[in-house]
Amino acid sequence: MTTLRPTSRASTASTGSSADAAPVNGLKPKGGSWNRSATKEVSISELQTKFGWTDQSWEAGLLKAADTAGGKTRGNNGKVSAAEIQAYLAAPTDGRYLTSSALQQGRAALDAKLSKGGGAPVKVDAFDQGWQDNLAKRADLLGGNNDGKVSQDELAAYIQKSKANQADGVRWVPDQQMAAFQSRVAQAAGEVDPLRPTGGKGMEMVKQYSRLMLDEGKNLPTFVSYMLSASDIKETPADVHRDKSTFVRDPVLGTQGVTDSDYNNTGFDRGHMKPAEDSPTQEAMNESHLMTNIAPQYGNHNQQAWRTLERAIGDLVAQTGGKAHIITGNLFLDKNGKPLPQESVTTTGAKDRKIGVPTHNFKTVLLELPNGNVSMFAYMVPNVKDGPSKKDAIVPMLEASRVPVDQLETLLGQDLYANLPKSVQDKLEKDSKAPGAFQLEGSRYEAVTLLTQR
């Protein structure tokens, strides 16, 4: 049994893969958990027109960089696929767009060289991959003394400048933001995407760090999906904080959108679907406070059991060094677990606008480890006023809330992970036995996930 302890969100260098330290039961799909198609391309100019990306925007620049770096058969054709973007970001040869995963790989590569050399600065052309050489050269030039060598301090200074947009020609794009960006491109190209369940009814919205389906009749999201990576957690700047953000109406909806004041004096918390703490930038934190990411939750449920579950998932991702595609949403069920008709849904709202009160909140996680193994688990947690607040009550309640993903898909009328090969879906989506537990440490609840060999 491996016990995972809470981790700090401070930006620190990776010391190596965590996969061996925290094994997870799961499958290793042939060719990866999902295979993006290089043939599913879309014109760059079409994407710019569709999403309003100017030639000076980072989005247009990234599309063109990925097209330039594409293979011999499809590169430099004025079109791009999500597969091309993914390949470019895995080895950004021009060093212009760096994800959190790339930064962590660069840190780890330098740490390995420094360790072998007794801590002495490393020659900028001594790395195993060309893009890492280029990263070292830029760090020596823009963050150091331009002596042809790079130190840990120089790389850290360069990365800090990149995150603050103070390094010319370089942009940090967190993994979470890049997942949403790729999701846009994939959808425009007609490709199934990890963040976009198929089926269902509602207004689809794609944000900078997430996407969602809005139930306009109930004035809340059916689901919100996003990607959380261990690299993003480690690279999150220390000054990102929820106290700097406020709840605001989603500007896309105009006056039709829910406002913060719609929750005043209702007795309900403004419950995040995508947790505020899963924000790699302050921009992402602000986005998490849009009211399209919010649903009515009873205070005890939101602040105790649901909060503990959110922490558990974040800890699991951090400790395994993996990345998780997470879908969180709302269900309205009768006592027999069947969907309620619209007229039977309980509503709330301080003004004329009525907001549906979910009977349950659900959360599904597709976890991918650095070694390619994937695991899946899901919870369907009752949103009740008298929910548990003590560890001894929270644990059995959450254990009893474990459900197979198949069950949620039936209730939602959606295929949540349509991007997975069918054989993988058949195995993982029917399994509800991957264990999870929570532990009280010190004076507050801290999430702990227990991974066991079956």
Side-chain angles (χ1 to χ4, degrees):
M1 179 183 297
T2 302
T3 303
L4 304 182
R5 297 296 175 187
T7 181
S8 169
R9 295 183 64 88
S11 298
T12 55
S14 172
T15 56
S17 172
S18 304
D20 293 334
V24 173
N25 295 297
L27 300 179
K28 190 168 188 177
K30 185 177 181 181
S33 54
W34 49 83
N35 296 320
R36 295 195 183 275
S37 172
T39 64
K40 293 281 189 178
E41 291 185 307
V42 62
S43 165
I44 293 175
S45 61
E46 179 183 333
L47 288 170
Q48 288 187 247
T49 300
K50 181 178 179 66
F51 299 115
W53 296 333
T54 66
D55 287 338
Q56 290 72 42
S57 67
W58 71 265
E59 292 94 342
L62 175 56
L63 293 173
K64 293 170 183 176
D67 181 37
T68 300
K72 295 180 180 179
T73 57
R74 297 191 176 276
N76 286 307
N77 65 355
K79 299 179 180 180
V80 71
S81 65
E84 280 183 304
I85 295 172
Q86 186 168 291
Y88 164 75
L89 293 172
T93 51
D94 61 4
R96 292 175 57 199
Y97 300 94
L98 299 173
T99 63
S100 296
S101 289
L103 293 183
Q104 283 289 298
Q105 291 170 24
R107 292 182 193 270
L110 178 58
D111 284 348
K113 296 292 184 181
L114 289 172
S115 178
K116 289 183 179 180
V122 179
K123 291 184 178 180
V124 296
D125 59 356
F127 294 87
D128 298 331
Q129 298 185 42
W131 74 267
Q132 293 174 350
D133 284 343
N134 289 335
L135 176 62
K137 291 173 184 176
R138 284 173 174 263
D140 178 39
L141 177 63
L142 300 176
N145 56 10
N146 197 23
D147 65 351
K149 298 179 181 180
V150 63
S151 67
Q152 194 173 69
D153 287 343
E154 287 175 331
L155 179 60
Y158 173 68
I159 289 176
Q160 188 65 28
K161 288 182 179 180
S162 300
K163 290 181 178 180
N165 293 322
Q166 295 174 352
D168 290 341
V170 181
R171 183 182 179 91
W172 170 51
V173 186
D175 294 343
Q176 190 176 101
Q177 187 174 25
M178 191 48 57
F181 179 76
Q182 288 178 275
S183 185
R184 286 180 185 264
V185 174
Q187 182 178 359
E191 185 175 17
V192 177
D193 179 80
L195 296 184
R196 184 171 174 250
T198 59
K201 297 179 180 180
M203 179 181 180
E204 290 191 73
M205 304 176 74
V206 188
K207 303 300 183 182
Q208 283 288 316
Y209 296 85
S210 63
R211 67 181 302 151
L212 62 95
M213 179 174 284
L214 185 68
D215 186 330
E216 295 175 273
K218 297 184 179 73
N219 286 305
L220 83 178
T222 298
F223 73 81
V224 177
S225 61
Y226 68 103
M227 193 264 272
L228 179 65
S229 73
S231 294
D232 268 356
I233 293 173
K234 291 178 179 178
E235 293 292 342
T236 298
D239 61 353
V240 174
H241 201 280
R242 66 186 303 158
D243 287 350
K244 299 178 182 179
S245 300
T246 56
F247 291 106
V248 295
R249 169 188 278 157
D250 194 316
V252 173
L253 300 179
T255 58
Q256 299 302 310
V258 173
T259 67
D260 178 34
S261 61
D262 284 326
Y263 279 73
N264 287 351
N265 302 314
T266 62
F268 289 98
D269 279 7
R270 299 159 181 82
H272 288 75
M273 297 294 95
K274 174 181 178 285
E277 282 72 17
D278 287 354
S279 302
T281 66
Q282 194 61 46
E283 180 185 44
M285 179 68 75
N286 293 341
E287 181 182 290
S288 78
H289 282 72
L290 292 176
M291 296 305 292
T292 45
N293 183 51
I294 302 302
Q297 290 183 323
Y298 287 103
N300 204 52
H301 166 68
N302 178 41
Q303 299 165 31
Q304 300 295 336
W306 191 249
R307 176 73 176 117
T308 306
L309 177 58
E310 291 174 335
R311 286 183 173 180
I313 294 169
D315 290 343
L316 176 62
V317 172
Q319 293 294 333
T320 59
K323 61 182 180 180
H325 287 85
I326 302 169
I327 303 175
T328 304
N330 302 289
L331 293 167
F332 302 82
L333 308 177
D334 63 20
K335 63 181 181 180
N336 297 315
K338 303 297 183 183
L340 285 166
Q342 181 71 29
E343 62 271 16
S344 299
V345 171
T346 298
T347 61
T348 189
K351 303 176 183 178
D352 292 337
R353 184 182 290 107
K354 297 305 178 184
I355 305 167
V357 179
T359 60
H360 296 74
N361 300 122
F362 72 85
K363 192 177 290 289
T364 71
V365 179
L366 174 63
L367 175 68
E368 183 174 11
L369 297 182
N371 63 11
N373 282 356
V374 293
S375 182
M376 186 184 292
F377 54 93
Y379 290 81
M380 187 171 73
V381 186
N383 178 28
V384 292
K385 187 175 183 179
D386 56 350
S389 59
K390 302 296 184 180
K391 175 208 170 186
D392 290 345
I394 287 177
V395 171
M397 187 277 288
L398 285 169
E399 289 300 317
S401 300
R402 290 296 307 276
V403 294
V405 172
D406 270 352
Q407 181 177 337
L408 292 174
E409 290 182 328
T410 299
L411 292 170
L412 292 165
Q414 294 183 281
D415 188 349
L416 297 182
Y417 295 106
N419 55 292
L420 287 172
K422 189 176 184 304
S423 60
V424 178
Q425 290 189 58
D426 288 345
K427 170 63 177 176
L428 296 182
E429 292 184 356
K430 299 182 188 307
D431 183 9
S432 63
K433 296 181 180 178
F438 304 86
Q439 179 176 314
L440 179 64
E441 294 187 350
S443 61
R444 67 175 192 172
Y445 283 102
E446 294 288 358
V448 177
T449 299
L450 305 179
L451 306 175
T452 61
Q453 296 293 332
R454 281 184 281 169

